[in-house]
Amino acid sequence: MKKIIGWIIGLCLLAGGATVCAIRWQAWFGNPPEPEYNEPIIAHQFTTMDNDSVLHALQCDTLSFLLLGDIHNSLTNTEMSLLSERHPDIQFWAQTGDWMERPYLYYEQMMYQSLLGTGLDTLPVVAVPGNHEHLKGLVKTLPEHWQEIFPNPQNGPARFLGTSYYVDFPHLRLIAVDTDGLNRVSDYTQVAFWLKKTLREAGKKFTVVMMHHPVYSTAEGRSNPLMWLAFHSAMREADVVVSGHDHNYARRTEHYKARFWKKEEPTIFIATNASNKKYPVKENNKYEASLAGEPVYEYILVTPDTLYIYTRNLISGELIDEVKVSR
């Protein structure tokens, strides 16, 4: 009798799994058709921190840059120009993934067109891939061309050279983590160990981690338990963690349990979104600030003793939130 019940339960689980796969197959594994592109092709390669002369020029005591979340090709040339004009002091900018809607020529060319002549097109960029830059499948893949247009530093974990990496400035270590290329359990452990080591070796520098998927999801139905399991512990070593993916803005501070051998500092988790795509913010009484329905960005200023983060409305420039970390 027990054997029959076991078979029935197994068949029910199998049938349920097959039904879910049938319903969600296109969303999980189907790549949409590529739009035709018939305009002259713009050849472009972004300036990145893999360029020694660029990095050398940024070794200064005071540093300012912009950080944008998901873009999804929704920002126009006018809006990019607006950001550049609003912050003429920035030395580079950063982006947390899903810059392009899909890794196709059409969207790549749209990305270039939105930047040309804006002032941002000549600045160095720190970029990390998002899920929309990966091709769907049983094993998602990042097209090689992504790393050709973003020739990033090769100082990350062995399987993620050029997509997970860090950049050092006199008072800041900025760490980029590719969260969508994690397909195996060993991928998670390799990146998590590398991240913890990279954070610990930052010394007295401020540490900012940028990643596409959040450790703490801020939108309904978009939890990422594997992100929490893999990276929550390592993030106790970070000052600030900025993520995208959930298409809203929210900030919370995590006060990790104290360890007797070390004074514990809190970690600030920020979810951000620069695109027109938006999701409601998940209700959570731990949020110190939140906003849905409006694209935002972060203006970050680093001095020898303080890290300032100002979140502004992307269109109006209105200040939405501000936070500082002091030494």
Side-chain angles (χ1 to χ4, degrees), residues 14 25 33 44 53 62 66 70 73 85 96 142 150 175 207 210 216 223 226 246 250 259 265 296 315:
L14 185 63
W25 185 267
H44 187 78
S53 62
T62 300
L66 298 186
D70 297 44
N73 292 112
E85 292 165 6
T96 65
L142 181 67
F150 294 106
I175 305 170
T207 51
M210 46 181 282
Y216 292 104
S223 295
L226 289 177
D246 282 347
R259 297 181 294 186
E265 300 289 347
V296 301
I315 305 302

Side-chain angles (χ1 to χ4, degrees), residues 255-266:
H255 296 273
Y256 285 85
K257 291 181 180 179
R259 297 181 294 186
F260 69 87
W261 68 88
K262 180 182 178 183
K263 181 183 177 182
E264 202 66 53
E265 300 289 347

Side-chain angles (χ1 to χ4, degrees), residues 62-83:
T62 300
L63 200 68
S64 60
F65 63 99
L66 298 186
L67 191 149
L68 277 68
D70 297 44
I71 295 176
H72 287 276
N73 292 112
S74 64
L75 294 185
T76 66
N77 187 275
T78 300
E79 290 163 344
M80 289 293 196
S81 295
L82 189 66
L83 289 175

Side-chain angles (χ1 to χ4, degrees), residues 22-89:
I23 295 171
R24 297 290 296 167
W25 185 267
Q26 184 63 29
W28 288 343
F29 306 119
N31 292 295
E34 181 171 357
E36 288 189 20
Y37 184 78
N38 300 314
E39 302 295 323
I41 291 178
I42 303 168
H44 187 78
Q45 183 184 67
F46 286 90
T47 301
T48 68
M49 301 301 174
D50 193 44
N51 186 311
D52 290 340
S53 62
V54 168
L55 189 56
H56 178 74
L58 294 173
Q59 300 304 304
C60 42
D61 275 346
T62 300
L63 200 68
S64 60
F65 63 99
L66 298 186
L67 191 149
L68 277 68
D70 297 44
I71 295 176
H72 287 276
N73 292 112
S74 64
L75 294 185
T76 66
N77 187 275
T78 300
E79 290 163 344
M80 289 293 196
S81 295
L82 189 66
L83 289 175
S84 181
E85 292 165 6
R86 191 180 291 155
H87 301 286
D89 61 314

Side-chain angles (χ1 to χ4, degrees), residues 122-136:
T122 59
L123 289 178
V125 66
V126 176
V128 64
N131 59 295
H132 276 253
E133 272 104 11
H134 285 74
L135 289 169
K136 295 180 182 181

